[in-house]
Amino acid sequence: MKVGILGASGYTGEELINLLLNKKDVELVYITSRRYKGKTLGEINPRFKNTRFENLKFEEVNEEKILNCDLIFSCLPHGEAKNILEKYLGKIFIIDLSQDYRKDERAIYGLTNIYDVYTKHPLKRKYDVEKLKKYKIIANPGCYPTSIILPLYPLLKANLIEKDFIICDSKSGTSGAGKSLKENLLFCEVNENFYCYKPKGHRHESEIKYVLNVKNLKFTPHLLPINRGILSTIYFRSEATLKDLIDLLKDFYRNDENVKIIDTYPQLKFVNYTNEAHIYVDYDEENKLFIVLSAIDNLIKGASGQAVENMEILKNYLLKG
Ligand SMILES: NC(=O)c1ccc[n+]([C@@H]2O[C@H](COP(=O)([O-])OP(=O)(O)OC[C@H]3O[C@@H](n4cnc5c(N)ncnc54)[C@H](OP(=O)(O)O)[C@@H]3O)[C@@H](O)[C@H]2O)c1
C-alpha cells in the first residue's frame, strides 16, 4: 500500500513514520515539509538512519504526488489541513489528524475504540461504509478528547452518568502544541511553570460535547512542563455503584488490549511511548462524586497510534475491495 504523509516533519509526523516502519505492507512513498524540502529523513532525524525509510526525501505538497498514493495521512495544522485536503475528498483515502473534519458530517470520526474494532466498529454500519466510500475521509480524534471520551462514552451510552454535570480537568505536555516556534513554548517559559491556558471555550470542548452528545460538559486544559502525556481528571454524578461503572468499562473494553481499566492511579510514565489508555475510577463518598483518571500519550494514543489503528480498519474493509 502506497502511503504519503503531509506535514511529516512535525511531532505527530515523526511518531507516525516510526509506527509505519513496523508495517511491512506499507510503502511510505511521499512525505512533505517546507522547511526540510530536498533533505532525506535520515539526514534530518538520526532515528531513521539505517531504516527502510532513511533515503526518503521531504517534498512540497503536490497534487500529482498525493493522487499517486493509496492513503494520505495529514499531519498539517488545523485550518491548513482543510485548505489543502478539501479538493481530494472522495478521490483518495485520507486520515486527517487535525480538527478540521472532526465535526464534519462527511467524515467518519475515527475513535476506533469506542466502536470496538473487532466487533461493532463504524464500518459495520452500512451508512458509515457508504459515507466512507463516498468521501474517503477519517477524522482522527483530538488528544484531549481521546482521554475523556474513552471513559465517558460507554458510561453515557449505558445512561449511567447524570448528563447535566461533567467536569473535565486536563493537563498536557508541551508537544501537544506542535513543533512550530511559539514564544510561550520556549524552554524558559514552560520549564518550572504550570498554568491553565484556556479556561473557557477551548475547541476541544465542543469536539467532546459533539461526540458524546452532551450539552453541559466543562473542559479545562493546562500546560505541563514536560514533553508528552495527558492526564485528565473527570468528575460526574451517578446513581450507579462504583462496581457497576468499573464492570461496565471493563466489559466494554474487554477485547481492546490498548484500553486498560486499572486499580491504581494512572501515571504518564506508564502510558508515554505506548498506544495505551489507562483509566481509573473511584467514588468520593463525602462529596457524592465519581472521579475518573485517564492517561494517554498525546502523540501516540492521542494522535499517530490512533491514526494507524484507523489505517488498519481502512485496510481491512476498503482498500482490499
Ligand atoms: N501534537 C499533538 O499532540 C497532537 C495530537 C492530536 C492531534 N494533533 C493535530 O495533528 C496535526 C499535526 O500536529 P503536530 O503536533 O505534528 O504539528 P507540528 O509539529 O506543528 O507539525 C506540523 C507539520 O505541518 C507542516 N506545515 C505547517 N504549516 C504548513 C502549511 N501551511 N503547508 C504545508 N505544510 C505545513 C510542518 O512542516 P513545515 O513547516 O516544514 O512545512 C510540519 O511538518 C495538527 O493539526 C494538530 O492539531 C496534534
Side-chain angles (χ1 to χ4, degrees), residues 286-299:
E286 198 174 332
N287 294 299
K288 306 275 181 270
L289 268 184
F290 281 92
I291 306 151
V292 170
L293 305 174
S294 172
I296 60 165
D297 182 327
N298 54 299
L299 293 176

Side-chain angles (χ1 to χ4, degrees), residues 41-238:
L41 257 181
E43 276 176 283
I44 294 304
N45 191 334
R47 180 181 195 182
F48 297 119
K49 271 211 171 298
N50 305 328
T51 70
R52 64 191 174 107
F53 298 153
E54 168 175 11
N55 295 317
L56 195 61
K57 277 193 176 143
F58 287 103
E59 301 179 58
E60 283 177 345
V61 175
N62 170 286
E63 181 164 352
E64 202 181 317
K65 295 271 182 177
I66 291 176
L67 293 174
N68 178 46
C69 295
D70 298 309
L71 167 66
I72 285 286
F73 289 98
S74 175
C75 301
L76 299 168
H78 56 261
E80 299 298 340
K82 196 157 204 164
N83 281 342
I84 290 174
L85 298 176
E86 190 63 22
K87 69 174 174 180
Y88 301 107
L89 257 53
K91 294 189 178 153
I92 180 168
F93 283 106
I94 296 170
I95 297 175
D96 177 29
L97 278 74
S98 85
Q99 70 165 28
D100 291 358
Y101 290 94
R102 290 185 197 146
K103 287 165 66 182
D104 189 316
E105 280 298 315
R106 296 170 296 175
I108 299 285
Y109 187 82
L111 189 70
T112 55
N113 310 75
I114 65 176
Y115 301 109
D116 188 345
V117 187
Y118 305 103
T119 55
K120 46 188 183 308
H121 67 69
L123 299 190
K124 288 256 166 112
R125 296 202 308 243
K126 199 164 176 279
Y127 165 75
D128 286 324
V129 177
E130 292 312 313
K131 191 161 82 167
L132 195 52
K133 277 186 181 158
K134 185 166 179 196
Y135 297 109
K136 297 186 163 51
I137 181 159
I138 293 183
N140 215 58
C143 46
Y144 281 126
T146 296
S147 73
I148 291 166
I149 295 166
L150 283 175
L152 290 188
Y153 178 86
L155 300 176
L156 281 162
K157 198 164 176 254
N159 280 323
L160 288 181
I161 292 183
E162 289 180 18
K163 279 188 163 189
D164 60 347
F165 176 85
I166 303 173
I167 308 283
C168 308
D169 182 75
S170 300
K171 297 103 196 159
S172 171
T174 53
S175 60
K179 200 174 180 178
S180 65
L181 294 177
K182 297 175 193 93
E183 187 178 317
N184 65 317
L185 297 180
L186 293 173
F187 181 79
C188 291
E189 305 301 316
V190 174
N191 184 45
E192 300 283 342
N193 198 3
F194 179 61
Y195 60 95
C196 167
Y197 59 92
K198 198 150 182 15
K200 287 188 289 185
H202 191 283
R203 59 195 161 85
H204 282 156
E205 184 175 291
S206 66
E207 178 182 336
I208 299 163
K209 286 177 170 172
Y210 177 79
V211 176
L212 292 179
N213 194 21
V214 293
K215 288 200 182 79
N216 299 314
L217 178 146
K218 181 76 208 106
F219 164 73
T220 312
H222 301 75
L223 190 68
L224 285 170
I226 59 174
N227 289 356
R228 57 204 286 164
I230 286 178
L231 180 68
S232 289
T233 308
I234 305 164
Y235 306 91
F236 55 83
R237 297 193 196 282
S238 169

